Amino acid sequence: MSPEPITRYDTSGNIRIYRMPLRVFPGMSANVYVVIAGDYAALIDTGSGLGESDADLRAAFAALRSDWNERLTWTDLRRIIITHAHIDHYGGLTALRTLTDAPIAVHELDRRVLTHHEERFVMARRALAAFLRRAGVSPAKHAMLLQLYGWSKNLFRSVDVATTFREGDVIDDLFRVYHSPGHCPGQVCLHIGDVLLSADHVLPQTSIFLPPESITLSTGLDHYLRALRAIDALSGIRLTFGGHGAPIDDLHGWIERIIGAQEQRLDQVRALCSEPHTIAELTAALYPAAAGYEELLALQKAGAYVEYLDMRGELTIANLADVDLDESAAPRYWRG
């Protein structure tokens, strides 16, 4: 499978945006963007650094010169912006450091994932292990899922970050930052003229990975829905470019569909919890086809839905006495 072709878009302020899809995992692509305004050029995200991702990025950058007549070299880049610290969006930084010394910018909540990658991986893995035990995953599956989680993490080396930003900041007098947590603590959307770079906050699909906040602070469904509504309040957005998939030309309509899909999933969890269930049992009912790494993601999503309802007093723990006496007992949630 070859990557999709590069496409060019122009903002209302005559700023050129190139969408460059890369193959980041087997069967999965992600978008990186080059934004050019006069003699200024920025790279938004870097791909995963795995498989064909780095080669696709180098080929796409070369195609800007050969196919699009852009006089741009790696040393011309003035900035690299990471929209959020998930490996399919920042993993290419390791290889890029041999091509460009452009300063890296990331939201302050994701900074340490890049600058202290090994430390954050160890702590994230520990939090995930505790969650899987609490979810009721069997010991054998627990070990397998943790192994899947760690397969790519040691391929990235920590890098220096020159700049951190937060909600309301304007990067290089060009990109207005909207902090949009839920999918990732430091997830941001970047507003340029009549274009929004929405990363993985708004995608041309209604399903999105949401870990519970019990694993990572500033993630989870509550943060995600609040941030969606904040982005929905923006006006004058003609096109939205996500971290995956094609552009969106109806931002507000698509946000409405995403929120509707999340509400439907919550209703499914409510219905299932008419009887007591562990998070692992709920996952099997909600995502029966999930296997391997997809099952790991599905368990976390189910955990996020349970967390959201539990925090609002809609669920209770049916086996509280067992959980109190036995640390290995998984809570069984229900609406009793």
Side-chain angles (χ1 to χ4, degrees), residues 65-142:
R65 298 188 297 274
S66 62
D67 299 346
W68 295 91
N69 298 317
E70 294 286 357
R71 296 183 177 180
L72 184 67
T73 68
W74 290 108
T75 56
D76 294 326
L77 284 177
R78 300 272 291 279
R79 178 74 69 183
I80 299 172
I81 300 175
I82 301 300
T83 61
H84 62 294
H86 284 169
I87 191 72
D88 51 327
H89 296 270
Y90 73 80
L93 283 171
T94 299
L96 277 183
R97 269 300 170 247
T98 66
L99 301 172
T100 175
D101 59 1
I104 298 167
V106 69
H107 190 275
E108 59 186 359
L109 294 186
D110 279 354
R111 174 182 178 272
R112 287 184 68 83
V113 177
L114 305 186
T115 63
H116 294 73
H117 188 265
E118 298 78 11
E119 170 191 299
R120 290 306 295 265
F121 168 64
V122 169
M123 298 310 295
R125 187 180 185 277
R126 175 177 291 187
L128 178 61
F131 165 77
L132 293 175
R133 284 192 292 270
R134 190 169 67 251
V137 170
S138 69
K141 183 169 287 188
H142 185 280

Side-chain angles (χ1 to χ4, degrees), residues 248-276:
I248 298 167
D249 59 10
D250 179 15
L251 173 64
H252 305 294
W254 198 254
I255 287 176
E256 183 178 346
R257 285 192 286 273
I258 292 173
I259 291 174
Q262 299 303 316
E263 290 174 346
Q264 288 178 9
R265 190 62 85 183
L266 286 171
D267 284 342
Q268 285 182 281
V269 176
R270 291 184 180 102
L272 287 167
C273 286
S274 61
E275 299 290 338

